[in-house]
Amino acid sequence: MEKIDITLPEHIAIIPDGNRRWARMNNLSQWKGHKEGADRIEEIVREALNLGVKYLTFWGSSADNLAKRPFQEKKALLEIYEEYFQKLINSKEIYESQAKIIILGDWRNQFPGKLKDILEEGVEKTKNHSKHVLCFLLAYNGDDDMLHAVKTLVGKAQKATKKIVVTKEMIKDNLMTAQLPNVDFVIRTGVQDDPHNSAGFLMWQTQNTQYDFSSVMFPQFTKEVFKESLQKFSSRVRRLGH
């Protein structure tokens, strides 16, 4: 395993923005931007496992992305998901590094059967891995995540025989993303002059998170640029609200 002289975040979350803009800038079809982005995910996953990152989360798509994109672009994106995840679950690195794949969001309701089968296979084959976690947020919105917790707690309260006092721990435990720890470092790529979060991205787990708003569009976000981002994190002092 490669060693670099930095403090690694335990949990890194990446918002891979800029695929379509990169394709337009290069006079390419938008699906080619998504394909190049998938190649970068593969590269960064391999590098993160090599460096020893414990949790790595990618926001693959929001529910709005899938609902509002043109049909041909959505079709191409789902086909790229099929190709990428089939390759991922058959890669030797996943098994050598004991990386567990988890997939969170509304993908079971939105994705076609073949793709769902591939994703389920990856989750099942790696469910007992314990050294690393690769999380993919697919058809995911942060507001839906919070609503899931609230609706679940309301349902439990209606069935309870005595009054339930809601705690922070109960909210956390009933999120669809409950199994994820707090995020240490969020990298958002493709940022121009408007650094921002989107759709409440992991709002519970990012309360004291460090951010890197990178101007590099995701198809150009190589492992070298990724390591530059990690250097930025390592050079900061985390006060954690103090």
Side-chain angles (χ1 to χ4, degrees):
M1 179 182 295
E2 179 185 355
K3 298 293 183 182
I4 56 177
D5 188 23
I6 63 172
T7 301
L8 281 175
E10 181 185 42
H11 186 184
I12 301 170
I14 298 178
I15 304 174
D17 207 357
N19 289 338
R20 297 195 299 168
R21 278 178 283 144
W22 177 86
R24 287 195 297 268
M25 287 175 59
N26 289 278
N27 296 315
L28 299 171
S29 300
Q30 291 183 354
W31 72 267
K32 290 187 177 179
H34 294 306
K35 177 64 171 67
E36 195 69 24
D39 290 342
R40 295 291 75 73
I41 290 177
E42 181 179 351
E43 179 180 349
I44 292 169
V45 165
R46 186 177 293 113
E47 186 65 20
L49 292 176
N50 184 44
L51 293 172
V53 175
K54 174 68 175 176
Y55 290 88
L56 180 63
T57 296
F58 285 96
W59 192 4
S61 57
S62 70
D64 290 341
N65 286 156
L66 295 171
K68 296 178 181 179
R69 296 283 169 87
F71 173 77
Q72 287 299 330
E73 182 183 352
K74 178 180 176 179
K75 180 175 180 291
L77 182 59
L78 295 177
E79 288 173 351
I80 290 168
Y81 282 169
E82 282 187 18
E83 179 184 350
Y84 172 77
F85 281 104
Q86 190 71 69
K87 186 176 181 180
L88 177 68
I89 64 178
N90 290 316
S91 64
K92 65 179 182 179
E93 289 91 352
I94 294 297
Y95 301 93
E96 290 175 350
S97 63
Q98 286 289 290
K100 177 189 290 189
I101 296 170
I102 59 175
I103 304 170
L104 305 173
D106 195 39
W107 57 276
R108 287 186 176 89
N109 292 323
Q110 295 203 29
F111 286 4
K114 181 180 178 182
L115 176 54
K116 286 192 288 187
D117 289 345
I118 292 171
L119 299 179
E120 294 282 13
E121 180 184 358
V123 171
E124 178 64 24
K125 282 186 172 180
T126 64
K127 66 181 182 181
N128 294 320
H129 293 180
S130 58
K131 291 185 178 179
H132 303 271
V133 174
L134 297 178
C135 175
F136 297 90
L137 302 176
L138 302 179
Y140 167 87
N141 281 356
D143 48 1
D144 291 339
D145 198 1
M146 292 299 295
L147 281 170
H148 180 274
V150 172
K151 289 178 179 178
T152 302
L153 287 171
V154 168
K156 290 179 178 179
Q158 291 173 339
K159 296 176 182 178
T161 57
K162 60 181 181 179
K163 182 179 179 181
I164 291 179
V165 178
V166 177
T167 65
K168 292 188 294 184
E169 291 74 19
M170 289 171 67
I171 295 173
K172 166 70 167 65
D173 291 345
N174 286 281
L175 293 166
M176 67 175 71
T177 54
Q179 59 194 296
L180 294 179
N182 287 344
V183 180
D184 300 297
F185 193 38
V186 170
I187 301 170
R188 184 183 186 120
T189 67
V191 176
Q192 295 177 316
D193 56 358
D194 61 338
H196 65 285
N197 206 340
S198 291
F201 176 69
L202 290 177
M203 62 177 73
W204 192 267
Q205 293 91 346
T206 55
Q207 298 174 55
N208 291 298
T209 296
Q210 293 286 313
Y211 282 80
D212 180 17
F213 294 105
S214 174
S215 62
V216 178
M217 287 181 282
F218 194 65
Q220 297 171 308
F221 199 83
T222 62
K223 65 179 182 181
E224 288 77 21
V225 184
F226 175 58
K227 287 194 285 188
E228 289 173 7
S229 285
L230 296 183
Q231 293 283 0
K232 293 178 186 178
F233 173 86
S234 185
S235 68
R236 298 175 184 173
V237 176
R238 296 190 70 201
R239 295 181 177 85
L240 300 176
H242 299 297

